[in-house]
Amino acid sequence: AALKKIQSLLQRLGLAQLPDLFLFFLEEQGTFYIRGPKNQEELVAVSEDYFQLGQGLEACQHSYLISASLDPALAETMLQLAGIEAVDIASFTGSKLGRQLVLTSPDFPDVSLMNFSAYTNFVGAWIEKLSALGRPIMVVFSARELLNRVAGTLSVPYLAQLEGQDQQVLRKRFERGDQQVLLALGSFWEGVDLKDLDQVIQLIVRLPFANPKNILVDKVSQSLEALGFNPFADFVLPLAGQRLQQITG
């Protein structure tokens, strides 16, 4: 499919056949992707051994991979994909502090039945309502486009995570109280310790499923399927659960 799109792009450029430059890519063993906005597309090649973490651990007698929230089944799946055969996975139950309250509403609309504009306005309205409580509000998005569109609906001041912006700088500004509302995505899903703030409201706009069009997600899914795994059940779903667990602490 990617090759056909390349040929289509070349035809738009007035080229009847592949230039010699592309022959190099076609001779290589790997998977090819087209990414980027229209008329600014770029070709990305991903080699077949892109995820051979085990090659870097061959000289190690013991390696310890530690996580506070990693799903054991997901860990085993990903390590097998990385070429690591012999692995022991241990988990330890920690004490819960009970400092959080998770709220959901059965009255919320079915998101799948709403168009993008309607959902954008719905999220913006809820942020406005919650701001009346006077508490710090961190709104976590899984896509930048939705973040930008929601930001355009708000009348309350806010901080927004810009592309390439240092997470720690943004976190400190939020903790300092520069604005009541923080619109965040990406790295904030990995968990942020807002130790200097009390009674923070976290608004999770959508469940954090990985974008299937992401190059790494697509490549991992293809590799897992080749090994006999179910990409959604063995990778996408537990990864979303892990991210949800991280953001809620």
Side-chain angles (χ1 to χ4, degrees):
L3 180 57
K4 290 182 179 179
K5 188 169 183 180
I6 293 173
Q7 292 171 334
S8 174
L9 292 172
L10 293 173
Q11 289 177 356
R12 279 162 44 190
L13 294 173
L15 300 175
Q17 61 183 12
L18 289 172
D20 292 340
L21 174 63
F22 283 98
L23 296 179
F24 166 78
F25 290 101
L26 298 178
E27 290 171 357
E28 293 293 314
Q29 296 296 319
T31 306
F32 301 89
Y33 299 88
I34 298 291
R35 72 176 181 186
K38 188 176 181 180
N39 298 324
Q40 297 181 28
E41 296 95 337
E42 59 182 3
L43 176 66
V44 179
V46 181
S47 65
E48 295 300 332
D49 59 350
Y50 72 105
F51 198 49
Q52 290 301 310
L53 177 64
Q55 295 178 359
L57 300 178
E58 290 177 353
C60 302
Q61 290 185 344
H62 302 285
S63 298
Y64 299 92
L65 307 179
I66 302 172
S67 171
S69 58
L70 185 61
D71 180 271
L74 176 62
E76 189 170 4
T77 300
M78 298 306 293
L79 289 173
Q80 184 174 341
L81 178 61
I84 301 175
E85 298 290 338
V87 57
D88 294 319
I89 297 179
S91 59
F92 305 92
T93 303
S95 59
K96 297 183 179 180
L97 300 178
R99 296 177 179 174
Q100 295 167 310
L101 179 64
V102 179
L103 300 174
T104 61
S105 173
D107 299 326
F108 280 1
D110 186 340
V111 176
S112 64
L113 300 179
M114 303 178 71
N115 61 42
F116 189 74
S117 179
Y119 186 64
T120 296
N121 293 330
F122 175 77
V123 173
W126 261 99
I127 295 174
E128 300 273 358
K129 290 178 182 178
L130 292 173
S131 66
L133 298 176
R135 301 295 181 186
I137 303 172
M138 183 170 73
V139 190
V140 190
F141 297 83
S142 56
R144 181 171 297 280
E145 182 183 6
L146 182 57
L147 184 154
N148 292 337
R149 289 283 292 273
V150 169
T153 69
L154 297 178
S155 61
V156 296
Y158 61 85
L159 296 171
Q161 186 176 7
L162 304 176
E163 190 169 359
Q165 187 174 18
D166 189 301
Q167 172 188 317
Q168 297 304 320
V169 173
L170 190 61
R171 177 184 62 80
K172 289 179 180 178
R173 290 189 61 193
F174 184 53
E175 286 186 321
R176 194 169 58 210
D178 287 6
Q179 300 294 352
Q180 179 191 3
V181 177
L182 169 63
L183 309 180
L185 46 73
S187 55
F188 277 85
W189 277 106
E190 299 168 6
V192 177
D193 184 13
L194 301 172
K195 58 182 182 300
D196 294 333
L197 290 177
D198 185 32
Q199 297 184 346
V200 178
I201 298 173
Q202 289 184 336
L203 180 60
I204 299 174
V205 175
R206 279 185 176 172
L207 293 177
F209 284 103
N211 183 355
K213 295 182 179 180
N214 178 276
I215 291 177
L216 180 60
V217 173
D218 180 71
K219 185 62 178 175
V220 169
S221 296
Q222 288 186 36
S223 301
L224 289 174
E225 191 170 15
L227 293 174
F229 290 96
N230 181 317
F232 181 79
D234 297 319
F235 172 55
V236 176
L237 186 59
L239 181 61
Q242 176 186 312
R243 297 180 78 190
L244 187 60
Q245 183 179 9
Q246 287 174 325
I247 191 62
T248 57

